Each structure stands twice: as structure tokens, then as C-alpha cells.
């Protein structure tokens, strides 16, 4: 099936409701439909949107490939971010449709296979990763830099990471950043051992590759669950858990990990072609890289230095 994720100029997402007499009838979904035998998914999407909504696709990028098994059938959703179309959207088949703010999508009932599409609709294009203070003395400076980066880049998603700090110093850093995030309405994930999260306000959890490997099932925690992946094996493991999104690194060389061999954009693109969850590119990323990364079908970029002001001398 070919599925379209459409946003209007106000950032609202288009959803439609399935007919009561269809499979999963009455649930909300993203517009699209079945591919004819041998029909490319992009061609099928354009045809389906013309039939359902009276629009022609002018610019679309495949972002997700979602296989899902229901009790009575198996489906594969090929999801496209539709950035441009012609004509006005009209319910040509009489189906209920709504333009919905991404944060309000949780109020609607979707088929299970659409979970990753809802996540993609809710997630922003830029994902800030906090700098790691070299010692507790630098915590206040790093907190200030993060707040400046949030304001300057309109950040809505923050990963709190500081592998060099001990537990008490990390918790102090995390609490300060959580206060900053709450002040600016930024969603957060913490990159730390799970039991450390129990001493913090509710937040999401980001898994290192080692922590991802140690899990056999998705933990029952509030908030986003994400993971760092570096190759196809890691991506498959993350999708099987499942996580809500992944950060693929390093895409380019970075000063933080000078010895790490970068994946490059061709390898990143190959991983994206198998991804059933949104992907961020990490490693040497700046806002200038965002259009190119989005054109590959990624959710966006993740960065530390690329989204922060330079530290004070």
C-alpha cells in the first residue's frame, strides 16, 4: 500500500476515516491505497490521492517501509512525505477527513500499522543532543548553551547525554536541562542507565547500542523510546523491539569521535530504505544539511555542536 503524509501551511496533518464496512472500519488513517500489480508505490500514491482527494502529487519522498501482520492479513505500507501537491483537498469519495495538529493525533484511533506514521508526524526535523560537561564545574555553562540552542533553532526535542559524569552529577545536569526543556515546551529523552531515570521527572529514554542489545522487549516507560544504531544489524534490532525512532551515526566525520569511520550518505540511504521507524542523521550535521537529509527520506538531523553556540573560551 502507498500512504501519504500531508501537511498544510499551518503544520496540520491530513487524516481520513475508513468506511465502516472495510477492514479496520471506522479507524482513522493517512490517505492512500493499494498498489496495482507491478505498479510503483509512488505512481500508486499519485493515483490514489487523485481518486480520493482530487489532488496530484508534485513532490514526494519515501520515508518509511512498514510491514505489519494483522490476525487475518499481512500489509506493507510504503509511506511518502508529500511536500507539494496541486489543487485543493476534497473528499471525493465522501470520506470524513480532518486536518489535525500533530500533538493531537493521540486523540484518534489508528490501525496498529500506522503507529510509526503517527510518530513521524509528531517528531520535529531537528533533534538536539546536549554537550557533555567535562566536569561538574562546567554544568552551568552547558545548560546555558543548550538553552541558547533551543531558542536559536526552535528545538522541540532534546536528548540529555553526558557520559563523563558520575550519577549524582549527571542527575544534577539532567534536572537543570529538564527545567529548561519544560520552560520552552521541549520534549526530552535521557541517555543513561534505566534506574537513573527513576530519580528524574517523567521523560523518554534513549538507548545506546549496548543497552539496546541488552533488551528483549520494549520497556514500559512513558515518553519516547529511541536508539543509536550504526549498521543494518542495529537497525533491525531497534525495529524489532520496537523503538519509536533511531539515530544513525556517524554519517559524517565528527570532532567528538575522530576515529570513527563515517557511514556516508549512500550507506545512510540504504538503511533508510529498510526503516520502519523515523531516522535521524547524526555526525557532522548542521541545519545546512537538513534539506539534503530530508530529501533522502530521513526525519531530519541530530546534532550537538551543529545546533549550539560555541562554548566560551
Amino acid at each position: 500500500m502507498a500512504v501519504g503524509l500531508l501537511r498544510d501551511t499551518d503544520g496540520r496533518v491530513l487524516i481520513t476515516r475508513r468506511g465502516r464496512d472495510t477492514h479496520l472500519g471506522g479507524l482513522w488513517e493517512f490517505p492512500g491505497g493499494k498498489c496495482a500489480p507491478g505498479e510503483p508505490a509512488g505512481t500508486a500514491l499519485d493515483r490514489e490521492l487523485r481518486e480520493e482527494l482530487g489532488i496530484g502529487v508534485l513532490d514526494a519522498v519515501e520515508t518509511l517501509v512498514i510491514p505489519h501482520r494483522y490476525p487475518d492479513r499481512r500489509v506493507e505500507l510504503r509511506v511518502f512525505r508529500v511536500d507539494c501537491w496541486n489543487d485543493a483537498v476534497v473528499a471525493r469519495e465522501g470520506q470524513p477527513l480532518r486536518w489535525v495538529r500533530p500533538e493531537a493525533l493521540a486523540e484518534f484511533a489508528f490501525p496498529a500499522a500506522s503507529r510509526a506514521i503517527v510518530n513521524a508526524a509528531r517528531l520535529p526535523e531537528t533533534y538536539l543532543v546536549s554537550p557533555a560537561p567535562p566536569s561538574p564545574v562546567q554544568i552551568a555553562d552547558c545548560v546555558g548553551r543548550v538553552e541558547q540552542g533551543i531558542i536559536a533553532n526552535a528545538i522541540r526535542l532534546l536528548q540529555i547525554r553526558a557520559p563523563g559524569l558520575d550519577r549524582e552529577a549527571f542527575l544534577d545536569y539532567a534536572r537543570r536541562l529538564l527545567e529548561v526543556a519544560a520552560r520552552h515546551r521541549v520534549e526530552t529523552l535521557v541517555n543513561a542507565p534505566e534506574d537513573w531515570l527513576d530519580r528524574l521527572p517523567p521523560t523518554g529514554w534513549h538507548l545506546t547500542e549496548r543497552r539496546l542489545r541488552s533488551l528483549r522487549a520494549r520497556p514500559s516507560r512513558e515518553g519516547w523510546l529511541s536508539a543509536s544504531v550504526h549498521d543494518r544489524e542495529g537497525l533491525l534490532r531497534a525495529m524489532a523491539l520496537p523503538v519509536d525512532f533511531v539515530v544513525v551515526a556517524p554519517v559524517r566525520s565528527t570532532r567528538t569521535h575522530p576515529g570513527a569511520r563515517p557511514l556516508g550518505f549512500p550507506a545512510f540511504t540504504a538503511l533508510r530504505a529498510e526503516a520502519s521507524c523515523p531516522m535521524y542523521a547524526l555526525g557532522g550535521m548542521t541545519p545546512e544539511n537538513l534539506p539534503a537529509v530530508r530529501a533522502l527520506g530521513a526525519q531530519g538531523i541530530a546534532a550537538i555542536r551543529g545546533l549550539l553556540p560555541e562554548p566560551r573560551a
Side-chain angles (χ1 to χ4, degrees):
M1 295 185 66
V3 179
L5 179 55
L6 286 71
R7 294 181 192 270
D8 67 8
T9 54
D10 293 324
R12 298 178 302 174
V13 177
L14 182 65
I15 60 174
T16 64
R17 192 161 62 192
R18 299 180 64 85
R20 296 288 180 182
D21 57 349
T22 63
H23 179 244
L24 303 173
L27 297 181
W28 291 87
E29 64 178 357
F30 299 88
K34 294 181 180 179
C35 302
E39 183 180 31
T43 302
L45 179 69
D46 181 68
R47 174 180 54 74
E48 289 286 341
L49 296 190
R50 288 180 186 276
E51 294 173 1
E52 292 181 20
L53 305 174
I55 62 173
V57 175
L58 300 179
D59 185 15
V61 177
E62 186 175 273
T63 59
L64 300 168
V65 180
I66 306 172
H68 188 84
R69 184 174 295 279
Y70 291 104
D72 59 341
R73 67 188 65 187
R74 183 185 181 278
V75 299
E76 181 179 84
L77 307 183
R78 306 196 69 95
V79 183
F80 292 78
R81 186 180 67 246
V82 182
D83 294 324
C84 188
W85 60 88
N86 59 18
D87 297 321
V89 171
V90 178
R92 294 191 64 186
E93 298 175 346
Q95 71 277 32
L97 61 81
R98 293 190 189 179
W99 291 98
V100 180
R101 299 296 306 175
E103 60 271 19
L105 289 172
E107 301 171 11
F108 296 81
F110 288 90
S114 295
R115 178 173 176 269
I117 313 175
V118 172
N119 289 342
R122 291 178 54 206
L123 288 165
E125 298 177 351
T126 51
Y127 179 25
L128 175 60
V129 181
S130 70
S135 74
V137 176
Q138 281 81 37
I139 285 178
D141 180 59
C142 286
V143 171
R145 289 178 64 207
V146 169
E147 184 159 26
Q148 292 177 51
I150 287 173
I151 295 170
N153 294 289
I155 297 296
R156 292 172 37 219
L157 190 65
L158 169 68
Q159 180 191 138
I160 300 173
R161 174 185 178 275
L165 298 180
D166 63 28
R167 183 175 65 175
E168 294 308 314
F170 179 88
L171 292 174
D172 175 38
Y173 185 40
R175 290 185 184 109
R176 297 194 201 191
L177 287 178
L178 288 170
E179 290 176 1
V180 169
R183 188 158 58 244
H184 295 283
R185 298 186 178 183
V186 173
E187 294 188 280
T188 57
L189 300 92
V190 171
N191 183 339
E194 186 174 14
D195 60 333
W196 294 16
L197 274 67
D198 295 335
R199 298 180 57 184
L200 296 170
T203 183
W205 190 21
H206 179 81
L207 305 172
T208 61
E209 186 174 46
R210 178 176 59 81
R211 293 191 187 105
L212 173 63
R213 289 178 180 275
S214 72
L215 295 175
R216 295 293 175 266
R218 181 184 172 103
S220 56
R221 303 195 66 92
E222 295 183 32
W224 293 109
L225 180 69
S226 65
S228 293
V229 302
H230 310 289
D231 52 28
R232 183 174 184 269
E233 179 186 355
L235 175 63
L236 295 177
R237 188 183 300 272
M239 293 189 301
L241 195 59
V243 301
D244 297 317
F245 64 92
V246 297
V247 177
V248 178
V251 176
R252 300 172 66 193
S253 298
T254 69
R255 286 185 289 172
T256 308
H257 299 89
R261 183 178 180 180
L263 291 167
F265 285 114
F268 179 85
T269 303
L271 291 176
R272 208 293 307 151
E274 294 191 71
S276 62
C277 63
M279 285 176 46
Y280 286 95
L282 173 68
M285 294 291 108
T286 69
E288 287 70 32
N289 299 119
L290 184 58
V293 169
R294 293 273 287 175
L296 298 177
Q299 185 72 24
I301 62 165
I304 304 174
R305 288 183 175 87
L307 294 172
L308 289 177
E310 287 297 321
R312 292 180 292 181

